[in-house]
Amino acid sequence: MKAKLIFTSLFVLLLISVSCSKKEQETVAKKQRPNILFIMSDDHAYQAISAYSDKLIKTPNIDRIADEGMLFTNACVTNSICAPSRATILTGKHTHINGKVDNHMPFDTTQVTFPQIFQKHGYQTAMFGKLHFGNNPKGVDEFMILPGQGNYINPKFITKNGDTIINGYVTDIITDLTLNWLKKKRDPKKPFLMMYLHKASHRPWWPSPEKFAEFTKKQFPLPETLFDDYSNRGTAAKTAEMNLLTDRMYSHDSKIRPETLTEMGNVEPYIEEFKGGFYGPYNRANDEQKALYNPILDSINNFFKVNWGKMNREEKMKWKYQRYMQDYLGTISSVDDNVGRVLNYLDESGLAENTIVVYTSDQGFYLGEHGWFDKRFIYDESFKTPLLIRWPNQIKPGTTNEEMVQNLDFAQTFLEAAQIEAPEDMQGESLIPLLTGNAESWNRDAVYYHYYEYPSVHMVKRHYGIVTKEYKLVHFYYDVDEWELYDRKNDSLEMNNVYNDPAYAEVVSNLKDKLVQLRVKYKDSKELDQKYIDIYNSKK
Ligand code: SGN
Ligand code: CA
């Protein structure tokens, strides 16, 4: 790959030198380096992008990226949780190597991240929105990032010159900052790398007042597996705490005011500490903003007061699902509108032609499938992540790609596109052959996954596994010692663990061998598994 990159660059340089003077050569060479606009949302499920499925929502602006570029239907993460995914994207390394295996571990900032390399090679770099960790991201000329998870309403930002609060709705504000930098702050003579990072659609799912009004009028189709009872699965699925009806879906997630519950005699599992869950975001709103939310909140709360007591379990689950979707999808709709604003600006400014636009999420998310919300598992809805890439004159518009690509691959892809050599120790593969229609040189047939954060919120047990287009083999190795196998072609909803089915004995044996090879290839090991368990336990 490296040899190919050098060869391509030499060829381009040769062509240039034949036809122009030295000064001209430099400008042409630099001009050819594309800008990169990396758009990432938080917890945005591919099921909530109409380029993948239009059952839940229409996202015409995000879809445009695929219509004019490439839609990856098998993109996935290496560890389905926020901060680890971001660390993998920045370093191009699996989490057991970069050390940020869960949301709690610190990120070792002495590591090389890809924006630093871009900066060194003459790119202008900027980052706006949610990074999740740290307060001084390296490698970016300018940044304004949310502290930790950030807030939806009147959010606070960390900047080089101290903290500041900006009034308004977070998705609009992050976009305003991004557009402002593109329009007024960058040097038009240099290529740029822009990290445009949304807080939406992360919990606590507060849509803007307009989207709240719009989406609370809608009803959404139920997922086939909403009432999953986790039979034919292992212990991990049965003990995870992310069921919409029974686990950690608090009153504030449904937008039920604490007073409503008190008045009703605390009908819901009501935990005092989560009072803040409602008032945290709501009290950030000023009176004018509150006045926009109040009538809708009133009507939800009135409905709840009258009906909740009369509902059976099934009806309660359906009601919670609808409330969840209304809020979650309301936040997505704002993301889509704002992506549209940025794409329009690229068109108007003429930047579109030489800008790679990437849309992705830090991982997938459950939208009621298996009765769940949240992520973490290697099962499809959280393992897969949306990925849409547009690159005019390089990617054939309207292409769909089914290869198993990972967030691990982004750094090397962007570096190759910018004709910068990637560090030897990055562990991904550049996607350039796939983007440019040279798929023959792509030969990955399996990916490696490893999730660590346990015991913790949502109680998803530690596991690692190997995934091919046909199968998924998973080892839950802590607390329990259980293996699971899913036949992805014949059981796409992943309802049956066939690990012990004799018909799959050979598949299991082959995949186990391959899994060992992958663990060796990526330098993961039993010793490292234990090391991270020990560190985690020592912090409790
Ligand atoms: C919070 C959320 C969880 C979520 C984690 C991690 N609960 O704890 O639902 O899984 O963040 O999210 S909340 O009630 O506090 O909202 S992550 O995206 O940062 O990994
Ligand atoms: Ca996330």
Side-chain angles (χ1 to χ4, degrees):
M1 184 55 58
K2 206 167 109 192
K4 198 176 159 207
L5 172 65
I6 294 169
F7 180 75
T8 319
S9 318
L10 282 176
F11 184 66
V12 169
L13 282 175
L14 189 72
L15 279 183
I16 295 165
S17 59
V18 171
S19 55
C20 20
S21 72
K22 192 160 179 273
K23 184 103 207 273
E24 279 166 337
Q25 278 171 27
E26 276 165 19
T27 343
V28 176
K30 273 187 194 147
K31 219 181 183 178
Q32 286 183 331
R33 297 203 292 174
N35 306 306
I36 295 173
L37 170 64
F38 180 73
I39 316 173
M40 184 161 75
S41 299
D42 194 356
D43 294 356
H44 189 174
Y46 58 87
Q47 309 92 292
I49 294 181
S50 43
Y52 288 95
S53 158
D54 61 3
K55 277 192 203 152
L56 293 174
I57 188 171
K58 292 259 189 296
T59 50
N61 297 295
I62 296 172
D63 292 1
R64 238 192 96 182
I65 302 169
D67 293 344
E68 297 165 9
M70 191 173 271
L71 179 78
F72 285 89
T73 55
N74 255 321
C76 61
V77 294
T78 61
N79 180 359
S80 181
I81 184 159
C82 202
S85 168
R86 289 152 198 267
T88 288
I89 290 170
L90 288 173
T91 60
K93 292 175 186 168
H94 273 278
T95 53
H96 58 273
I97 300 293
N98 70 45
K100 184 106 184 97
V101 299
D102 57 42
N103 276 345
H104 311 300
M105 287 287 275
F107 178 65
D108 172 2
T109 56
T110 63
Q111 299 184 85
V112 174
T113 62
F114 82 85
Q116 286 170 270
I117 309 177
F118 271 79
Q119 198 180 43
K120 241 196 227 156
H121 284 80
Y123 267 71
Q124 302 169 86
T125 56
M127 179 186 282
F128 297 106
K130 178 180 169 182
L131 177 61
H132 195 141
F133 46 80
N135 54 11
N136 189 15
K138 283 192 177 164
V140 284
D141 306 336
E142 180 158 341
F143 68 85
M144 285 182 79
I145 56 169
L146 300 164
Q149 300 283 12
N151 280 294
Y152 277 104
I153 304 171
N154 305 336
K156 190 194 220 178
F157 285 87
I158 302 170
T159 80
K160 273 190 183 156
N161 309 315
D163 295 354
T164 181
I165 288 179
I166 304 181
N167 271 355
Y169 188 65
V170 73
T171 308
D172 302 333
I173 297 169
I174 293 170
T175 309
D176 293 344
L177 296 171
T178 301
L179 283 172
N180 187 47
W181 187 87
L182 288 172
K183 287 179 185 170
K184 299 189 185 145
K185 298 199 172 168
R186 74 191 172 86
D187 173 356
K189 293 191 282 307
K190 289 185 184 170
F192 67 81
L193 163 71
M194 165 63 76
M195 309 281 285
Y196 165 41
L197 311 173
H198 283 294
K199 185 233 165 11
S201 47
H202 194 274
R203 234 173 164 183
W205 309 308
W206 275 82
S208 69
E210 307 77 56
K211 298 292 181 186
F212 197 36
E214 182 187 338
F215 277 76
T216 41
K217 295 196 186 86
K218 297 184 190 236
Q219 290 288 303
F220 300 92
L222 307 180
E224 228 173 293
T225 57
L226 182 65
F227 295 99
D228 195 351
D229 63 2
Y230 316 112
S231 53
N232 305 323
R233 249 62 49 75
T235 309
K238 296 182 176 80
T239 55
E241 296 177 358
M242 43 197 241
N243 184 279
L244 273 169
L245 182 63
T246 53
D247 301 314
R248 293 175 188 265
M249 191 51 121
Y250 305 114
S251 63
H252 66 77
D253 293 314
S254 307
K255 306 293 175 285
I256 299 304
R257 294 184 173 111
E259 306 83 273
T260 305
L261 292 179
T262 311
E263 226 177 278
M264 293 169 72
N266 296 328
V267 289
E268 273 278 83
Y270 178 58
I271 303 168
E272 189 62 26
E273 67 184 274
F274 280 99
K275 219 173 173 168
F278 186 89
Y279 286 113
Y282 180 78
N283 279 352
R284 296 188 69 81
N286 57 36
D287 288 347
E288 213 179 304
Q289 293 164 327
K290 278 183 184 160
L292 297 171
Y293 283 110
N294 281 340
I296 311 160
L297 288 171
D298 288 345
S299 91
I300 296 170
N301 279 262
N302 289 338
F303 180 92
F304 184 82
K305 257 191 258 178
V306 175
N307 294 289
W308 184 256
K310 299 179 201 158
M311 292 182 198
N312 61 30
R313 272 178 78 86
E314 190 181 316
E315 287 160 341
K316 284 179 177 171
M317 178 61 139
K318 288 182 181 167
W319 183 83
K320 280 198 158 183
Y321 168 76
Q322 296 297 347
R323 282 276 46 257
Y324 170 36
M325 283 303 94
Q326 290 167 354
D327 293 349
Y328 178 93
L329 296 169
T331 72
I332 299 282
S333 186
S334 287
V335 170
D336 187 64
D337 290 351
N338 278 287
V339 166
R341 289 174 63 203
V342 176
L343 294 181
N344 286 342
Y345 174 68
L346 293 183
D347 288 341
E348 287 157 18
S349 60
L351 283 168
E353 185 156 350
N354 197 31
T355 301
I356 301 178
V357 179
V358 178
Y359 188 90
T360 192
S361 167
D362 60 345
Q363 22 47 220
F365 213 70
Y366 294 95
L367 303 184
E369 298 87 358
H370 305 291
W372 285 334
F373 64 104
D374 215 67
K375 54 244 179 183
R376 297 158 193 270
F377 275 116
I378 193 174
Y379 308 134
D380 265 13
E381 291 80 0
S382 46
F383 165 71
K384 285 176 40 170
T385 196
L387 181 62
L388 304 83
I389 306 183
R390 182 180 84 178
W391 189 4
N393 306 317
Q394 297 286 340
I395 300 177
K396 196 168 156 238
T399 329
T400 298
N401 191 293
E402 292 173 0
E403 292 308 320
M404 303 208 57
V405 302
Q406 291 194 287
N407 56 350
L408 181 70
D409 304 321
F410 295 168
Q412 278 150 278
T413 305
F414 303 156
L415 289 165
E416 188 180 348
Q419 299 160 31
I420 305 170
E421 205 168 295
E424 286 287 325
D425 60 352
M426 283 191 172
Q427 297 184 304
E429 300 265 347
S430 162
L431 306 180
I432 298 291
L434 300 180
L435 299 176
T436 54
N438 296 303
E440 337 59 74
S441 59
W442 179 266
N443 55 13
R444 179 189 284 158
D445 60 357
V447 296
Y448 181 61
Y449 181 91
H450 197 157
Y451 171 80
Y452 296 80
E453 194 181 287
Y454 179 87
S456 181
V457 59
H458 303 301
M459 296 301 276
V460 172
K461 292 187 193 298
R462 288 165 190 258
H463 57 290
Y464 58 78
I466 176 172
V467 185
T468 67
K469 284 184 187 163
E470 288 80 29
Y471 299 105
K472 192 176 278 181
L473 177 76
V474 196
H475 186 201
F476 291 91
Y477 61 92
Y478 181 76
D479 252 17
V480 289
D481 182 8
E482 291 181 11
W483 289 83
E484 295 181 12
L485 177 74
Y486 294 92
D487 182 334
R488 302 185 79 198
K489 294 261 142 104
N490 294 309
D491 174 27
S492 60
L493 299 178
E494 299 174 315
M495 300 295 278
N496 290 299
N497 166 22
V498 289
Y499 180 79
N500 290 317
D501 181 338
Y504 289 90
E506 206 181 315
V507 171
V508 167
S509 154
N510 288 339
L511 283 173
K512 277 195 172 175
D513 288 348
K514 269 197 148 173
L515 178 56
V516 170
Q517 288 163 20
L518 276 188
R519 298 246 295 166
V520 171
K521 172 179 169 186
Y522 290 123
K523 302 189 170 66
D524 204 1
S525 62
K526 267 195 170 157
E527 291 69 38
L528 274 181
D529 301 347
Q530 192 57 48
K531 174 185 141 183
Y532 288 120
I533 291 169
D534 293 343
I535 297 176
Y536 196 81
N537 290 344
S538 72
K539 286 195 175 160
K540 266 192 273 164

